[in-house]
Amino acid sequence: PSMRASSSTDRRASISNMRKQRRPSTQVQIDRQYSTESYDCFVFHASAENSSRFTWKFRVSEGQQGMLTAVISSKRVPKTSQICQFPIKALSLHSSVVFDVDEEVNALSAKRPVNTLTMSAQWSLRQFVPWLSQCIPDVPSRLPINGLSLAWYCSFIGDFIHIKFRNGVAEFSSDSVTNIAILKDFFTKIAIENNLTFSKVNVNVHLQSALHVFELIRSKLEYHHAIHEKHAWIYGLREIESHEEQIGGLSEKMQAILKESEQIIEAYQTSPKHLQFIKNVIFNQIRHFAKLRNQRLSFEQLEKLKYGLDHKDHCEDIVSVIQELMK
């Protein structure tokens, strides 16, 4: 009872402080638990004002899938609740190509290194399409008669996926080896769950694919490293500015940082999360490249890769690791 009373008192004091500080009426509480197998997150949103619509934005990591469950409760009488579920798919960052699929894929394949995965089994198109829709968004519900040919494009990285299905044979192609690894693992799991035996599984990894994807995302990595570097200078430069009437003695680079300080501080608010996300994308790309070629990253290569990811001027260390795996 004493603990409950203390907790109740603290809660009232906390609410009183919130009112004094005139914080926004919306309250959000997040409770996250991490395990080696999954990410579990609980979010509570309460609005003091009557509202019928609000927006949440969040980022997911490809290769991991799950379910987002939303429980919406009304404050008005009668008290009602509604449960909505939104599947988070393993390749959720990809969107379907709405143009001529074959023409678009042929144009991309001619310019990029392409990895392929071929899987043959006693399965029909009617079985394949629902399974595919569990892994990647924008899969059409209407089944074609002669076969399936679909393509997706990732707006964040810029890679593509092309899938063909005819006569029990599924052909997957992508310039990202991570996409091939995710599809292979997903359909292997589906086969085990449905007692399905593959008569053929063939993976062909292009030697230039990991280097190609790194070059696609390299500019984003360097940009966020630059934001962190500039942010570290801002408060020292402002201290100099407050004590000096003229800052002409500073280099052009330092003057530019001081001039853009507000924009840099604003960008830095979300930059650490973006930077970590980009690091994970690059690391997974190299890890899957080694795995599908039956190679293993050595301790020295891992340390070199980590150092290259953590330092702006050492991206060539990442290129060096990829080139070592290409041999």
Side-chain angles (χ1 to χ4, degrees), residues 16 41 83 123 143 148 225 234 271 303 307 313:
S16 176
C41 180
I83 297 177
W123 52 0
L143 301 178
L148 186 71
H225 272 310
I234 287 176
S271 183
E303 290 297 312
Y307 190 82
D313 299 326

Side-chain angles (χ1 to χ4, degrees), residues 54-68:
F54 59 88
T55 302
W56 276 345
K57 294 182 180 181
F58 58 94
R59 177 178 287 110
V60 297
S61 298
E62 290 202 325
Q64 299 174 355
Q65 57 188 119
M67 184 68 68
L68 174 63

Side-chain angles (χ1 to χ4, degrees), residues 258-318:
L258 198 55
K259 184 179 180 180
E260 301 170 357
S261 59
E262 292 299 329
Q263 295 92 323
I264 294 171
I265 291 173
E266 183 179 355
Y268 183 78
Q269 298 300 316
T270 57
S271 183
K273 293 181 180 180
H274 291 170
L275 181 59
Q276 187 58 49
F277 180 80
I278 292 167
K279 288 180 182 178
N280 291 341
V281 169
I282 296 172
F283 181 81
N284 287 333
Q285 188 72 213
I286 297 173
R287 180 173 62 87
H288 287 131
F289 179 75
K291 180 181 177 181
L292 292 183
R293 298 188 70 244
N294 297 318
Q295 294 177 317
R296 177 176 294 182
L297 288 165
S298 65
F299 177 79
E300 291 77 10
Q301 288 173 330
L302 286 171
E303 290 297 312
K304 192 175 183 180
L305 178 59
K306 181 179 178 182
Y307 190 82
L309 290 171
D310 290 339
H311 296 83
K312 173 188 174 184
D313 299 326
H314 290 269
C315 285
E316 290 304 317
D317 287 349
I318 303 173

Side-chain angles (χ1 to χ4, degrees), residues 20-38:
K20 290 178 181 179
Q21 296 174 10
R22 295 183 180 180
R23 293 183 179 179
S25 58
T26 299
Q27 302 175 30
V28 177
Q29 298 177 0
I30 300 178
D31 179 21
R32 177 173 297 159
Q33 297 177 347
Y34 173 77
S35 67
T36 56
E37 296 181 354
S38 64

Side-chain angles (χ1 to χ4, degrees), residues 37-81:
E37 296 181 354
S38 64
Y39 292 88
D40 299 321
C41 180
F42 173 78
V43 181
F44 174 75
H45 174 96
S47 178
E49 302 175 356
N50 292 330
S51 58
S52 59
R53 181 176 181 177
F54 59 88
T55 302
W56 276 345
K57 294 182 180 181
F58 58 94
R59 177 178 287 110
V60 297
S61 298
E62 290 202 325
Q64 299 174 355
Q65 57 188 119
M67 184 68 68
L68 174 63
T69 302
V71 181
I72 304 101
S73 299
S74 172
K75 289 185 177 181
R76 298 181 179 180
V77 178
K79 298 287 186 178
T80 58
S81 296

